[in-house]
Amino acid sequence: REVGFRAAFQAAVVAVKRRNVKLGGRIGDIVLQGGDSLVLDVGPGFNPNTTEATANFDELDYVSSYGDKEYMTAFRVEAGSTLVGKTIQHAGLRGVPGLFLVRVDRADGTQLHAVAPDTTLQAEDTVWFAGNLDSVTFLLKMPGLTHTDADHQAKMKINILERRLVQVVVAPHSHLIGKTVRESQFRTKYDAAIVAVHRKGQRLCQKIGDILLELGDVLLLDTGSHFLTHHAESKAFALVSEVANSSPLKTSKMWLALLLGTAMVSTQIIESFTKTPLINLWIAAILTSALMMLTGCMSGKQARDAMDWTVFICIGAAFGVGNAMEVSGVSDKLGNLFVNIVKGVGGRTAICSALYIATALLTEILSNNAAAALMYPVGAAAGDALGIPPTWISYTIMFGASAGFMSPFGYQCNLMVY
């Protein structure tokens, strides 16, 4: 920051490596030393042959790839959006993994290269990004930004529930080679809009319609499920693959989905206060899911994909094992073991504490439902032997099964906090 690196070299420092170790912390606060390796995001004004560049840098090499495919794409800042008037930093467009802000085109024609984090966004700015697949997907779902080719996306006759991102590679003998996207009539022919382009060794800062397609270009398409069915074997493309979890946000259905979810939860709250049975939670959940599909909040495929079958299998198996323990007498023996251990320690308090700790430890390696299903038969047997009310045992097991947050091993977020 003190040397005014951006202004001096028309380049932004992306990373600093010292003795083969990447340095952490804010880039602007790093004090450079001889032998440091810098990764620079350079603008067209960068000249490696200037006196200042040759005096300060050694072994300049152009890097064509950062590992993942780097797509070029452009977004427009919507007039009236919350992003207008915010800096790049405060808008959340800096520090996103795998995303680099290459250029900002103002509405008056001014172009800003090596954009500083304190640059203020204005309405109708066109912001050019270079990023991997995940970062482009993130931008497409970010409120306040509209893709520059959004008009073409709107012209596609595809239900929003069926839209998704698909990657295609231009094949060696494709009829697309040598034509611009506009000349090839890509959207009309394939019912798909190109949202980003990857070309090895180049950053294509030009309108998508003006890009002259070449062999090996990777195109990121906004299209429907039909594309994979109709064009998976097309001679125009060497590879066709769908991007997982890339459906656009359905903001128009947001309030309807919230209303349906709130109604489902409300039936259970009312039932608990009035002590009057209204509807079983399982039935309420099935009805709510069905209504969400009927009203277009989600598709049948999205509903199926949302089912984590490993969790259901784990819970179901745990109920089966718990029942087997109860029928075979294993739970009674374990319960008696608990009783014998804690009898001389403190009776009811000790047995509840032991059950809580055992369930909490079990929930670190199983789901909370599975841990509760396995431990309840043991707790019930111990409770019967000591005359402890079933509600005490239930609450002990319930709280123990939900104590995964107390350890860094229960979930990734817990580890981050620790």
Side-chain angles (χ1 to χ4, degrees):
R1 186 182 296 110
E2 292 176 349
V3 299
F5 198 98
R6 290 173 182 271
F9 299 103
Q10 287 296 299
V13 180
V14 175
V16 179
K17 200 173 184 180
R18 182 171 297 161
R19 289 188 284 276
N20 293 323
V21 178
K22 182 181 177 182
L23 302 183
R26 294 190 176 187
I27 296 291
D29 296 335
I30 295 176
V31 179
L32 297 176
Q33 298 179 6
D36 286 351
S37 298
L38 309 182
V39 178
L40 307 179
D41 184 22
V42 300
F46 178 77
N47 184 356
N49 300 316
T50 61
T51 303
E52 192 164 7
T54 54
N56 288 282
F57 303 136
D58 188 24
E59 299 181 11
L60 280 164
D61 293 314
Y62 281 95
V63 181
S64 61
S65 175
Y66 297 104
D68 292 335
K69 290 185 180 68
E70 184 186 73
Y71 289 95
M72 278 299 302
T73 186
F75 288 82
R76 188 176 295 107
V77 179
E78 298 174 1
S81 77
T82 56
L83 299 180
V84 176
K86 287 186 177 180
T87 64
I88 299 294
Q89 183 81 41
H90 291 155
L93 298 176
R94 187 170 177 82
V96 178
L99 182 68
F100 300 96
L101 198 159
V102 177
R103 191 178 86 196
V104 176
D105 294 346
R106 298 293 194 192
D108 61 4
T110 306
Q111 292 186 348
L112 306 179
H113 298 276
V115 185
D118 58 354
T119 301
T120 302
L121 293 171
Q122 299 178 6
E124 301 302 322
D125 277 352
T126 299
V127 189
W128 291 86
F129 295 96
N132 59 26
L133 191 57
D134 290 338
S135 62
V136 175
T137 305
F138 165 79
L139 291 171
L140 287 168
K141 296 180 179 181
M142 186 172 184
L145 290 180
T146 302
H147 195 272
T148 50
D149 272 20
D151 292 342
H152 291 285
Q153 297 171 25
K155 292 176 182 177
M156 296 188 301
K157 298 177 181 179
I158 303 173
N159 189 308
I160 191 170
L161 292 174
E162 298 300 326
R163 282 172 57 187
R164 73 280 313 275
L165 297 180
V166 173
Q167 293 183 101
V168 298
V169 180
V170 178
H173 303 292
S174 173
H175 67 276
L176 299 171
I177 296 175
K179 297 180 181 179
T180 65
V181 173
R182 185 177 294 105
E183 290 171 347
S184 68
Q185 297 183 320
F186 196 95
R187 180 183 58 80
T188 304
K189 187 172 294 184
Y190 296 105
D191 199 18
I194 301 174
V195 297
V197 178
H198 163 78
R199 179 176 295 168
K200 188 175 182 180
Q202 296 185 45
R203 284 183 173 176
L204 305 174
C205 284
Q206 58 189 117
K207 291 182 178 180
I208 286 179
D210 298 333
I211 294 176
L212 192 68
L213 296 175
E214 296 181 4
L215 165 65
D217 282 352
V218 184
L219 314 179
L220 187 62
L221 311 179
D222 183 352
T223 184
S225 57
H226 68 280
F227 187 91
L228 294 163
T229 306
H230 296 159
H231 303 293
E233 303 298 328
S234 172
K235 293 182 179 180
F237 309 117
L239 177 68
V240 178
S241 63
E242 182 180 345
V243 180
N245 301 318
S246 58
S247 296
L249 295 176
K250 306 159 191 66
T251 53
S252 61
K253 302 290 185 178
M254 179 178 65
W255 293 110
L256 178 58
L258 181 62
L259 178 64
L260 291 171
T262 303
M264 181 192 72
V265 175
S266 298
T267 60
Q268 306 306 304
I269 295 175
I270 294 171
E271 186 174 309
S272 64
F273 277 104
T274 61
K275 308 298 181 183
T276 304
L278 294 178
I279 186 172
N280 182 274
L281 179 58
W282 171 253
I283 297 174
I286 293 295
L287 287 175
T288 303
S289 300
L291 286 172
M292 285 189 176
M293 286 188 283
L294 289 172
T295 54
C297 296
M298 62 178 176
S299 66
K301 182 179 184 301
Q302 289 170 333
R304 290 191 298 273
D305 291 344
M307 301 288 286
D308 191 340
W309 293 108
T310 56
V311 173
F312 284 100
I313 292 171
C314 180
I315 294 171
F319 278 114
V321 172
N323 188 53
M325 289 172 62
E326 191 171 1
V327 172
S328 64
V330 173
S331 60
D332 290 334
K333 291 181 179 180
L334 289 175
N336 291 329
L337 179 63
F338 267 95
V339 171
N340 293 331
I341 292 173
V342 302
K343 257 185 179 179
V345 181
R348 293 185 173 188
T349 302
I351 191 64
C352 287
S353 300
L355 286 171
Y356 178 88
I357 294 170
T359 309
L361 291 174
L362 197 58
T363 198
E364 297 296 338
I365 56 175
L366 299 174
S367 70
N368 54 350
N369 290 340
L374 286 173
M375 286 302 300
Y376 185 78
V378 178
D384 290 341
L386 291 175
I388 301 175
T391 49
W392 286 31
I393 298 298
S394 298
Y395 279 114
T396 300
I397 300 296
M398 184 169 58
F399 285 121
S402 301
F405 67 90
M406 298 175 67
S407 160
F409 308 108
Y411 196 64
Q412 299 94 321
C413 298
N414 302 17
L415 183 60
M416 292 171 65
V417 171
Y418 273 78

